[in-house]
Amino acid sequence: MIEIGTQVDLFHPANRVWRALTDRELLARWFTEAELMDGTRNRLLLYTAGLPGFDAAVDAELTERREPELIALRCLEGGRRSRLTCSLEPTAEGSRLSVREVLEHGSWSDEQREQREECYRQAIAGRLPAILDWLAFRQVDLNRGEVGMTAELPVTEAPEEPAARRGRPLLVAGLAAAVLAAVATVWAALPDDPDRAAAPVPAPTPVPTVTTTPSASARPTPSTRPTRTATPNATRPSRTPTAKPSPTITASSVAPSAPAVTARYETTSTRLFGFTGEVVVDNPGGTAVKDWTVVVTLADGSTIDDASGADWRQDGRRVTFTGPPVPAGGSRTITFEVRDADVRTRAPESCTVGDTPCAGL
């Protein structure tokens, strides 16, 4: 009997975690989408086919439910049968969530078992806490002013100021504006350089006036004025650039060389605080390409939780992917999980392979 499992301590009460486990809309934000089957709440279809360690959707039947302590499911997936249990127990800081899956019929490969366990770990330790934080702040906003709110999530209210002091911000703002205006006036009256201000100002040197009429512009004195019979080339150059060689345009200098590899980007799934991105690197040439680099620029505050298909490193918002050679006429697929504090973010800001932008972004 094969068993996998993971657990995490959460800074949230059990009833809030229970809601994130049983609300289908919230479940889709941190794990996967679910659909009721047969019009009952006791049978679900979990769309897990695209998750690491899963190769099909899971037909899950509810076998035990004790709110907010335990929920147990009998799962059928691709000819395998397993029992999935999520249990909650209170702690001094919040609650402890344990996820355990026992395979009762069929088998997993070692790689599939490791990927499946890692998928659970990333979901409950990475994405679930973000959903719980969002729920907590939303609950504070909705319950503002109700008695007992701070028993669930402490909130510190600023003490009310006396009525005599309430007008101080406006008074301070007015004084600050007056001070800034006075400083600006004094600053404008000050000289640019103290040493220059102390030195006497020399009399300005007369500047010859140049008129715009052709007869007065750059008129020479009678002793140096050239005669009208002078050769034009002696006084100014010809406007025809006969001495400048004309550029020779060849086909090799215009047509750029085709890129060794190309790439295309796609957002394969989204969550409340993140998304899953995929980059496919294609090699249309006739020889394998050994050296290739994909650079993905994320939004501010975004981080990559995990990636597969390539080696990667993140430096600020810039994530660099490198990997094994791309065979001739073949491709490499990179999949990465992005955690983002901005719920509106659904894709990276940019993606390039070499100096060529990725298609689809």
Side-chain angles (χ1 to χ4, degrees), residues 15 48 56 66 151 246 323:
N15 59 352
T48 54
R66 297 198 306 269
S246 59

Side-chain angles (χ1 to χ4, degrees), residues 156-276:
T156 302
E157 296 288 345
E160 185 176 0
E161 292 185 335
R165 299 178 58 187
R166 292 177 185 170
R168 290 185 60 186
L170 293 177
L171 179 59
V172 171
L175 290 176
V179 170
L180 288 176
V183 170
T185 304
V186 174
W187 182 267
L190 289 176
D192 294 337
D193 187 355
D195 294 339
R196 196 188 316 167
V201 180
T205 304
V207 179
T209 303
V210 180
T211 62
T212 58
T213 58
S215 59
S217 59
R219 177 178 295 176
T221 60
S223 59
T224 58
R225 182 176 181 178
T227 62
R228 293 181 180 271
T229 57
T231 305
N233 289 338
T235 58
R236 60 180 180 180
S238 170
R239 293 186 179 182
T240 304
T242 55
K244 183 177 180 180
S246 59
T248 302
I249 302 177
T250 62
S252 60
S253 64
V254 173
S257 59
V261 292
T262 61
R264 59 186 186 274
Y265 171 82
E266 180 183 0
T267 298
T268 58
S269 65
T270 61
R271 301 175 294 278
L272 180 62
F273 288 100
F275 60 90
T276 302

